[in-house]
């Protein structure tokens, strides 16, 4: 089967059925989670500081749930109503917008402390109509220009994506540069067919640290093509199992995760309260 | 969910609409209140990003008059608690947001604002 972005426009491809299937698939959950952790690592946010992040193409909130767990406040945008609906059902904390990123953002200058985007950018490379504003270069340019201004200086935006060839990487990086970004492409496990992952790491200003693009992960892929994060996730998955329903986080698990982050010396983890994993209820 | 934390950052992005395009005006809103965990460090960090007048105005539109007209000089616990509530606990579930400049209407349905533009509105 060809890649999803070649089959139909995103809001059609991710209709009700696919949105549910995509989100429930545990293998997919794991892959998206691992890439989210890696993106956060590449984002290189100042430690011990709370941050307000943008999740570009947030979908059903698989990354958003991790941002919640990590104590970040975030906003998500996506073009597929069915994906956003699943995100609502999963009760993610972030504010959600129905938005075509190729049309650009209206966020005020310096709104976000960083942005992540997992498995989305390749969707911008396919034109859907013949109108000039829907050509991929135009959409990419509108996207990067308005994203650049909505990010704080200094900060970073990290994208994991699936380019089909080097020309696409070239178009994307050159458009981002014209929009004012520094940075470049990081390839993890470049020699592994399964574990290879492409990240675009963009800097606004100095990018929060040195201007150097981080190194990709090297070496032998771990355990049949898995990146190291997956093993940690697996342990967590095993722990959660015990008869619990998939995809629903129980309070114990959240508390345990918070405890884990605290032990690792992470500040800014919300303190436990009676609201931890509370059920939301309408007041009126 | 639109909360005032994101509304305060949101300007109109219609083609050519570049001045007087903020803040978007709420109309016909239905709101829900949901308690959220308070994080004073986050609020302190976020404070410089806030357009205060816009926040006070938007909160009024939603029926909340708890904010002082100006940011206080002393940022104490009580103020942070008020700010926390206004920014993060009031959810606009239904209604519209209208651009004060070009009058484009962004509908909010099920807590999600529709930011999609028509072909001729794309910059
Ligand atoms: C593979 S999913 C990834 C979702 C989420 N980031 C995750 O990791 O689970 C790709 C997402 O990109 C979204 N998308 C594609 N084109 C888009 C566009 N032009 N504007 C906003 N979102 C878009 C799709 O609707 C879909 O939710
Ligand atoms: Zn406008």
């Amino acid at each position: 089967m060809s890649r999803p972005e070649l089959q139909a426009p995103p809001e059609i491809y991710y209709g009700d059925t696919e949105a549910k299937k995509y989100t429930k698939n545990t293998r997919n959950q794991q892959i998206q989670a691992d890439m989210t952790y890696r993106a956060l690592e590449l984002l290189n946010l100042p430690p011990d500081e709370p941050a307000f992040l943008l999740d570009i193409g947030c979908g059903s909130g698989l990354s958003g749930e991790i941002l919640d767990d990590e104590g970040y406040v975030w906003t998500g945008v996506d073009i597929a109503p069915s994906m956003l609906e699943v995100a609502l059902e999963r009760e993610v904390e972030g504010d959600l917008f129905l938005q075509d990123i190729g049309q650009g953002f209206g966020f005020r200058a310096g709104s976000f402390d960083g942005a992540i985007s997992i498995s989305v950018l390749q969707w911008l490379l396919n034109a859907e109509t013949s109108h000039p504003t829907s050509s991929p270069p135009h959409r990419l340019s509108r996207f990067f220009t308005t994203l650049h201004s909505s990010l704080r200086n200094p900060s970073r935006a990290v994208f994991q994506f699936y380019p089909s060839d080097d020309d696409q990487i070239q178009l994307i990086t050159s458009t981002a540069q014209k929009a004012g970004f520094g940075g470049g492409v990081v390839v993890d496990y470049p020699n592994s067919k399964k574990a290879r992952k492409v990240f675009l790491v963009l800097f606004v200003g100095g990018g929060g640290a040195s201007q150097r693009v981080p190194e990709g992960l090297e070496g032998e892929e771990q355990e049949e093509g898995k990146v190291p994060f997956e093993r940690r996730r697996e342990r967590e998955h095993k722990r959660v199992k015990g008869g619990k329903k998939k995809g629903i986080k129980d309070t114990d698990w959240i508390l345990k995760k918070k405890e884990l982050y605290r032990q690792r010396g992470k500040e800014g983890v919300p303190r436990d309260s009676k609201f931890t994993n509370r059920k939301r209820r309408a007041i009126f | 969910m639109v909360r005032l934390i994101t509304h305060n950052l949101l300007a109109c992005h219609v083609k050519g609409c570049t001045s007087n395009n903020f803040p978007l005006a709420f109309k016909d809103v239905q709101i829900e209140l949901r308690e959220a965990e308070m994080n004073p460090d986050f609020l302190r960090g976020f404070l410089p990003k806030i357009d205060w007048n816009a926040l006070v105005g938007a909160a009024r539109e939603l029926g909340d008059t708890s904010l002082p007209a100006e940011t206080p000089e002393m940022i104490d616990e009580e103020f942070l608690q008020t700010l926390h509530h206004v920014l993060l606990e009031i959810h606009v579930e239904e209604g519209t947001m209208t651009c004060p400049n070009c009058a484009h209407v962004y509908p909010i349905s099920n807590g999600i604002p529709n930011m999609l533009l028509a072909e001729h509105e794309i910059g």
Side-chain angles (χ1 to χ4, degrees):
Chain A
M1 265 257 265
S2 65
R3 295 230 20 112
E5 63 274 14
L6 301 176
Q7 296 177 33
E11 67 278 22
I12 309 284
Y13 180 85
Y14 293 103
D16 283 346
T17 312
E18 180 59 30
K20 292 208 170 73
K21 213 170 90 192
Y22 174 90
T23 312
K24 264 200 280 188
N25 182 317
T26 46
R27 175 80 188 130
N28 183 56
Q29 285 178 0
Q30 199 176 43
I31 294 171
Q32 300 310 107
D34 293 333
M35 296 190 299
T36 305
Y37 281 117
R38 176 65 172 142
L40 281 174
E41 185 172 83
L42 292 168
L43 204 54
N44 196 31
L45 290 161
D48 310 343
E49 260 178 50
F52 187 55
L53 304 180
L54 179 63
D55 185 351
I56 299 162
C58 62
S60 52
L62 293 180
S63 309
E65 288 177 4
I66 290 168
L67 299 181
D68 286 340
D69 291 346
E70 297 274 340
Y72 296 116
V73 182
W74 59 279
T75 291
V77 300
D78 201 283
I79 199 175
S82 304
M83 290 292 261
L84 292 172
E85 210 164 288
V86 176
L88 283 183
E89 279 165 19
R90 291 169 74 86
E91 303 197 320
V92 293
E93 299 280 336
D95 285 1
L96 305 171
F97 288 87
L98 179 63
Q99 188 150 13
D100 176 358
I101 58 172
Q103 298 183 343
F105 299 108
F107 296 112
R108 287 200 287 122
S111 290
F112 298 99
D113 303 315
I116 62 161
S117 176
I118 310 296
S119 314
V120 178
L121 219 42
Q122 69 278 357
W123 284 95
L124 279 187
L125 297 164
N126 300 289
E128 267 123 48
T129 69
S130 57
H131 196 278
T133 57
S134 68
S135 79
H138 183 95
R139 284 165 60 75
L140 281 171
S141 161
R142 182 90 189 130
F143 167 64
F144 282 125
T145 310
T146 54
L147 174 65
H148 186 271
S149 69
S150 59
L151 289 166
R152 187 181 90 171
N153 183 355
S155 67
R156 291 186 181 188
V158 176
F159 305 77
Q160 177 277 327
F161 71 114
Y162 295 105
S164 61
D165 54 37
D166 285 348
D167 287 351
Q168 291 194 337
I169 297 184
Q170 180 54 34
L171 174 65
I172 285 178
T173 49
S174 68
T175 314
Q177 272 164 18
K178 274 187 219 134
F181 283 107
V185 166
V186 175
V187 182
D188 282 355
Y189 305 112
N191 301 319
S192 156
K193 220 174 156 201
K194 274 196 204 148
R196 185 176 191 275
K197 289 284 175 306
V198 179
F199 291 86
L200 176 67
V201 181
L202 297 180
F203 303 150
V204 178
S210 72
Q211 276 275 13
R212 252 166 42 110
V213 178
E215 304 274 327
L217 301 177
E218 285 285 347
E220 285 306 302
E221 39 190 289
Q222 318 265 327
E223 214 191 291
E224 300 159 6
K226 293 183 175 183
V227 294
F229 303 104
E230 294 188 38
R231 300 168 97 191
R232 184 176 76 214
R233 292 288 295 178
E234 261 174 10
R235 283 199 296 276
E236 281 164 9
H237 275 286
K238 282 196 192 108
R239 219 191 300 140
V240 211
K241 269 187 186 153
K244 302 259 164 51
K245 249 197 268 168
K246 279 257 163 49
I248 296 180
K249 298 174 287 189
D250 66 302
T251 306
D252 269 345
W253 183 69
I254 294 175
L255 295 180
K256 227 178 264 167
K257 276 198 88 168
K258 285 190 187 167
E259 190 48 43
L260 194 70
Y261 294 132
R262 275 194 207 101
Q263 281 166 6
R264 289 193 203 130
K266 193 168 162 14
E267 289 289 318
V269 176
R271 58 172 203 272
D272 305 330
S273 76
K274 59 182 173 7
F275 306 134
T276 300
N277 204 27
R278 86 250 172 254
K279 264 269 162 279
R280 287 170 172 173
R281 202 172 301 117
I283 294 191
F284 52 85
Chain B
M1 309 122 287
V2 210
R3 293 173 294 181
L4 292 186
I5 187 171
T6 37
H7 172 267
N8 198 259
L9 301 172
L10 196 62
C12 179
H13 67 133
V14 165
K15 182 181 189 171
C17 187
T18 49
S19 61
N20 185 35
N21 58 348
F22 170 88
L24 305 176
F26 284 116
K27 246 189 95 185
D28 304 327
V29 292
Q30 276 174 35
I31 60 173
E32 271 179 22
L33 302 181
R34 292 183 207 135
E35 285 169 297
E37 283 172 74
M38 162 108 174
N39 183 341
D41 290 340
F42 173 78
L43 292 169
R44 275 179 223 278
F46 197 79
L47 206 47
K49 290 183 188 167
I50 297 176
D51 181 315
W52 194 256
N53 284 337
L55 183 63
V56 173
R60 293 235 163 96
E61 288 174 345
L62 303 183
D64 188 299
T65 54
S66 59
L67 292 175
E70 290 184 15
T71 13
E73 264 153 45
M74 263 288 293
I75 308 297
D76 59 12
E77 181 72 19
E78 193 191 334
F79 168 72
L80 288 178
Q81 188 61 55
T82 308
L83 185 64
H84 168 72
H85 176 71
V86 171
L87 282 180
L88 294 160
E89 296 189 323
I90 308 176
H91 296 247
V92 180
E93 292 293 319
E94 304 288 329
T96 60
M97 297 183 294
T98 305
C99 170
N101 183 44
C102 76
H104 180 97
V105 177
Y106 298 95
I108 302 168
S109 158
N110 217 351
I112 299 178
N114 182 338
M115 306 306 288
L116 299 174
L117 303 176
E119 204 83 77
H120 68 276
E121 296 172 315
I122 303 171

PDB file of all heavy atoms in Angstrom, chain B residues 12-14 17 21 99 101-104 106, ligand 2:
ATOM      1  N   CYS B  12      -6.774  37.125  14.074  1.00  0.00           N
ATOM      2  CA  CYS B  12      -7.372  36.692  12.812  1.00  0.00           C
ATOM      3  C   CYS B  12      -6.256  36.434  11.796  1.00  0.00           C
ATOM      4  O   CYS B  12      -5.276  37.168  11.743  1.00  0.00           O
ATOM      5  CB  CYS B  12      -8.303  37.779  12.292  1.00  0.00           C
ATOM      6  SG  CYS B  12      -9.090  37.374  10.729  1.00  0.00           S
ATOM      7  N   HIS B  13      -6.396  35.373  10.988  1.00  0.00           N
ATOM      8  CA  HIS B  13      -5.351  35.095   9.997  1.00  0.00           C
ATOM      9  C   HIS B  13      -5.874  35.120   8.564  1.00  0.00           C
ATOM     10  O   HIS B  13      -5.293  34.528   7.655  1.00  0.00           O
ATOM     11  CB  HIS B  13      -4.607  33.792  10.326  1.00  0.00           C
ATOM     12  CG  HIS B  13      -5.429  32.548  10.194  1.00  0.00           C
ATOM     13  ND1 HIS B  13      -4.966  31.430   9.526  1.00  0.00           N
ATOM     14  CD2 HIS B  13      -6.647  32.232  10.639  1.00  0.00           C
ATOM     15  CE1 HIS B  13      -5.903  30.484   9.579  1.00  0.00           C
ATOM     16  NE2 HIS B  13      -6.919  30.941  10.255  1.00  0.00           N
ATOM     17  N   VAL B  14      -6.953  35.849   8.360  1.00  0.00           N
ATOM     18  CA  VAL B  14      -7.472  36.036   7.004  1.00  0.00           C
ATOM     19  C   VAL B  14      -6.494  36.911   6.214  1.00  0.00           C
ATOM     20  O   VAL B  14      -5.870  37.824   6.762  1.00  0.00           O
ATOM     21  CB  VAL B  14      -8.880  36.688   7.061  1.00  0.00           C
ATOM     22  CG1 VAL B  14      -9.295  37.223   5.694  1.00  0.00           C
ATOM     23  CG2 VAL B  14      -9.911  35.692   7.587  1.00  0.00           C
ATOM     24  N   CYS B  17      -5.630  40.755   6.593  1.00  0.00           N
ATOM     25  CA  CYS B  17      -6.165  41.244   7.868  1.00  0.00           C
ATOM     26  C   CYS B  17      -5.036  41.257   8.888  1.00  0.00           C
ATOM     27  O   CYS B  17      -4.805  40.276   9.584  1.00  0.00           O
ATOM     28  CB  CYS B  17      -7.322  40.367   8.339  1.00  0.00           C
ATOM     29  SG  CYS B  17      -8.158  41.020   9.796  1.00  0.00           S
ATOM     30  N   ASN B  21      -6.730  43.189  14.356  1.00  0.00           N
ATOM     31  CA  ASN B  21      -7.332  41.853  14.149  1.00  0.00           C
ATOM     32  C   ASN B  21      -7.311  41.005  15.424  1.00  0.00           C
ATOM     33  O   ASN B  21      -7.361  39.790  15.384  1.00  0.00           O
ATOM     34  CB  ASN B  21      -6.609  41.118  13.016  1.00  0.00           C
ATOM     35  CG  ASN B  21      -5.123  40.953  13.287  1.00  0.00           C
ATOM     36  OD1 ASN B  21      -4.583  41.573  14.216  1.00  0.00           O
ATOM     37  ND2 ASN B  21      -4.467  40.132  12.508  1.00  0.00           N
ATOM     38  N   CYS B  99     -13.714  38.543  14.159  1.00  0.00           N
ATOM     39  CA  CYS B  99     -12.572  39.444  14.017  1.00  0.00           C
ATOM     40  C   CYS B  99     -13.055  40.895  14.057  1.00  0.00           C
ATOM     41  O   CYS B  99     -13.966  41.262  13.330  1.00  0.00           O
ATOM     42  CB  CYS B  99     -11.848  39.166  12.699  1.00  0.00           C
ATOM     43  SG  CYS B  99     -10.601  40.406  12.313  1.00  0.00           S
ATOM     44  N   ASN B 101     -11.670  43.419  12.916  1.00  0.00           N
ATOM     45  CA  ASN B 101     -11.278  44.154  11.716  1.00  0.00           C
ATOM     46  C   ASN B 101     -12.077  43.724  10.489  1.00  0.00           C
ATOM     47  O   ASN B 101     -12.821  44.502   9.919  1.00  0.00           O
ATOM     48  CB  ASN B 101      -9.777  43.975  11.468  1.00  0.00           C
ATOM     49  CG  ASN B 101      -9.292  44.770  10.287  1.00  0.00           C
ATOM     50  OD1 ASN B 101      -9.647  45.931  10.125  1.00  0.00           O
ATOM     51  ND2 ASN B 101      -8.491  44.134   9.441  1.00  0.00           N
ATOM     52  N   CYS B 102     -11.962  42.447  10.095  1.00  0.00           N
ATOM     53  CA  CYS B 102     -12.594  42.011   8.840  1.00  0.00           C
ATOM     54  C   CYS B 102     -13.928  41.316   9.068  1.00  0.00           C
ATOM     55  O   CYS B 102     -14.600  40.925   8.125  1.00  0.00           O
ATOM     56  CB  CYS B 102     -11.665  41.100   8.051  1.00  0.00           C
ATOM     57  SG  CYS B 102     -11.557  39.415   8.714  1.00  0.00           S
ATOM     58  N   ALA B 103     -14.301  41.125  10.326  1.00  0.00           N
ATOM     59  CA  ALA B 103     -15.596  40.533  10.687  1.00  0.00           C
ATOM     60  C   ALA B 103     -15.730  39.050  10.326  1.00  0.00           C
ATOM     61  O   ALA B 103     -16.826  38.499  10.339  1.00  0.00           O
ATOM     62  CB  ALA B 103     -16.763  41.329  10.100  1.00  0.00           C
ATOM     63  N   HIS B 104     -14.611  38.405   9.996  1.00  0.00           N
ATOM     64  CA  HIS B 104     -14.675  36.954   9.773  1.00  0.00           C
ATOM     65  C   HIS B 104     -15.150  36.273  11.063  1.00  0.00           C
ATOM     66  O   HIS B 104     -14.702  36.628  12.159  1.00  0.00           O
ATOM     67  CB  HIS B 104     -13.300  36.399   9.378  1.00  0.00           C
ATOM     68  CG  HIS B 104     -13.306  34.913   9.133  1.00  0.00           C
ATOM     69  ND1 HIS B 104     -13.425  34.374   7.868  1.00  0.00           N
ATOM     70  CD2 HIS B 104     -13.236  33.862   9.994  1.00  0.00           C
ATOM     71  CE1 HIS B 104     -13.430  33.046   7.963  1.00  0.00           C
ATOM     72  NE2 HIS B 104     -13.302  32.712   9.242  1.00  0.00           N
ATOM     73  N   TYR B 106     -15.321  32.933  13.303  1.00  0.00           N
ATOM     74  CA  TYR B 106     -14.788  31.594  13.565  1.00  0.00           C
ATOM     75  C   TYR B 106     -15.746  30.872  14.504  1.00  0.00           C
ATOM     76  O   TYR B 106     -15.844  31.234  15.680  1.00  0.00           O
ATOM     77  CB  TYR B 106     -13.404  31.692  14.215  1.00  0.00           C
ATOM     78  CG  TYR B 106     -12.345  32.372  13.374  1.00  0.00           C
ATOM     79  CD1 TYR B 106     -12.076  33.733  13.521  1.00  0.00           C
ATOM     80  CD2 TYR B 106     -11.599  31.649  12.437  1.00  0.00           C
ATOM     81  CE1 TYR B 106     -11.101  34.368  12.754  1.00  0.00           C
ATOM     82  CE2 TYR B 106     -10.626  32.275  11.670  1.00  0.00           C
ATOM     83  CZ  TYR B 106     -10.380  33.629  11.836  1.00  0.00           C
ATOM     84  OH  TYR B 106      -9.410  34.238  11.075  1.00  0.00           O
TER      85      TYR B 106
HETATM   86 ZN1  LIG C   2      -9.814  39.502  10.278  1.00  0.00          ZN
END
